[in-house]
Amino acid sequence: MLIPKNNRKKIYQHLFQEGVMVAKKDYNAPKHQDVDVPNLQVIKALQSMTSRGYVATKFSWQYYYYYLTNEGIEYLREYLHLPVEIVPRTFIKTTKTAGGPRPGGRPDGERGPRGDGARGPRRDGEDSYRRRDAPGGEKKDQAAGDWRPEFRGGVGRGAPRQAAPQQ
């Protein structure tokens, strides 16, 4: 597909800055959600880069996910005339900010006990329905009430067995 040079450059610049790119599988979309270029041109430009080994592609839930490979970084550096010091955002290490409380309310590095079964009863009364002892301390060995199962000797769907004719 013929893609204007300025559109191709916009796609490549965005891909190099971020290191990744997402495109919805909508060939008729007038514009890509991140770049001011038709969505079809974005998909086809990145499909071309995938076939050359510069981008890895994943497809899930009607979205294309494109990841820049090491060869792709070198190619885009050459294409966009960028120095070696400039790298995509996915290669930049982020530093954790040490400080305030975490959203869970616990200080950093502190965890609750593991699920080894040594914890107390749960709030929702989980242990109460698993107890075999009745609340009064007496055990129940049979079903409640006067229900007594009985076997009537039926075969198949409950019909009595008929004698086979003898020869």
Side-chain angles (χ1 to χ4, degrees), residues 31-90:
K31 192 178 98 137
H32 186 264
Q33 64 256 22
D34 297 330
V35 187
D36 190 25
V37 175
N39 200 39
L40 179 64
Q41 291 181 3
V42 171
I43 293 171
K44 292 301 176 181
L46 293 172
Q47 183 179 10
S48 172
M49 290 187 75
T50 301
S51 68
R52 291 183 275 168
Y54 298 144
V55 174
T57 305
K58 301 280 185 205
F59 183 76
S60 178
W61 289 79
Q62 299 298 311
Y63 279 88
Y64 291 101
Y65 297 93
Y66 299 100
Y67 308 97
L68 204 52
T69 62
N70 291 334
E71 295 84 16
I73 292 171
E74 294 302 317
Y75 172 76
L76 288 179
R77 270 202 191 112
E78 183 181 321
Y79 186 88
L80 299 171
H81 309 292
L82 297 172
V84 178
E85 295 84 32
I86 298 176
V87 293
R89 236 181 237 158
T90 54

